[in-house]
């Protein structure tokens, strides 16, 4: 078993997962950028909902513009239209959906990289595990033979 342990140790020392770790770091950085983009879009959607719901403030803005000397049409133009806000919200929601899909794809790639790396480690450990199991069987046989006697 000592030989199997030494061989496994040498194989682990030679194992290089640097490329895998670097790729995972790149993917995680991109996921962080996506999360920030989603957060920004969600914040704007919340703001749009507030703007659409807050008609008194809109009326106040138009009233202030009228008192400042603007014409009624120019005063009304200072506010975003309900339709424009809704179009923006719909576009933001579609962007969020697209970013969510991208994030899922990136996470799937990370999961694949990690699964493959674990597979490499498992293949390195397999001979040692087999040796340990064989040693345990031999020990069990010795115990059984001793009890049978």
């Amino acid at each position: 078993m000592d030989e199997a342990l030494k061989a496994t140790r040498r194989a682990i020392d030679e194992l290089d997962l640097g490329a895998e770790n670097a790729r995972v770091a790149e993917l995680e950085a991109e996921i962080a950028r996506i999360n920030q983009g989603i957060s920004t879009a969600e914040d704007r959607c919340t703001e749009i909902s507030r703007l659409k719901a807050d008609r008194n403030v809109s009326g106040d803005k138009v009233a202030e513009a009228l008192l400042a000397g603007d014409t009624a049409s120019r005063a009304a133009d200072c506010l975003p239209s309900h339709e424009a806000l809704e179009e923006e919200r719909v576009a933001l929601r579609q962007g969020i959906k697209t970013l969510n899909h991208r994030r899922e794809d990136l996470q799937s790639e990370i999961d694949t990289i990690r699964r493959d790396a674990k597979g490499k480690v498992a293949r390195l450990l397999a001979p040692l595990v087999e040796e340990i199991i064989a040693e345990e069987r031999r020990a069990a046989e010795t115990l059984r033979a001793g009890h049978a006697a």
Side-chain angles (χ1 to χ4, degrees):
M1 177 147 114
D2 287 342
E3 241 354 272
L5 188 58
K6 288 177 185 175
T8 301
R9 180 68 182 164
R10 281 191 303 273
I12 289 173
D13 287 344
E14 293 172 5
L15 179 64
D16 181 12
L17 296 175
E20 290 89 341
N21 289 333
R23 182 63 181 149
V24 167
E26 289 174 12
L27 295 169
E28 287 175 339
E30 184 62 15
I31 287 172
R33 276 182 2 101
I34 287 171
N35 288 339
Q36 182 59 48
I38 289 171
S39 179
T40 299
E42 287 174 341
D43 289 348
R44 179 60 182 155
C45 285
T46 299
E47 183 181 358
I48 288 170
S49 294
R50 186 184 46 76
L51 288 170
K52 287 170 51 177
D54 197 357
R55 290 296 170 210
N56 291 333
V57 173
S58 297
D60 290 344
K61 287 181 182 179
V62 171
E64 291 302 318
L66 287 169
L67 292 174
D70 282 340
T71 64
S73 64
R74 283 192 59 190
D77 286 343
C78 75
L79 300 171
S81 73
H82 178 78
E83 292 79 18
L85 289 171
E86 183 58 21
E87 287 175 13
E88 182 181 358
R89 189 194 66 74
V90 168
L92 287 166
R93 287 285 168 214
Q94 187 60 40
I96 290 169
K97 182 177 178 182
T98 298
L99 289 174
N100 277 325
H101 287 300
R102 288 182 188 174
R103 181 175 55 196
E104 290 168 5
D105 290 344
L106 295 172
Q107 188 59 56
S108 177
E109 186 175 346
I110 288 171
D111 294 344
T112 298
I113 291 168
R114 287 181 174 157
R115 185 176 50 251
D116 291 348
K118 286 178 184 176
K120 289 179 182 180
V121 172
R123 284 188 295 280
L124 291 178
L125 295 175
L128 179 61
V129 170
E130 289 171 10
E131 181 65 29
I132 291 169
I133 291 170
E135 191 170 299
E136 287 178 358
R137 285 185 182 139
R138 286 189 296 271
E141 282 299 317
T142 303
L143 287 173
R144 268 192 287 247
H147 285 294

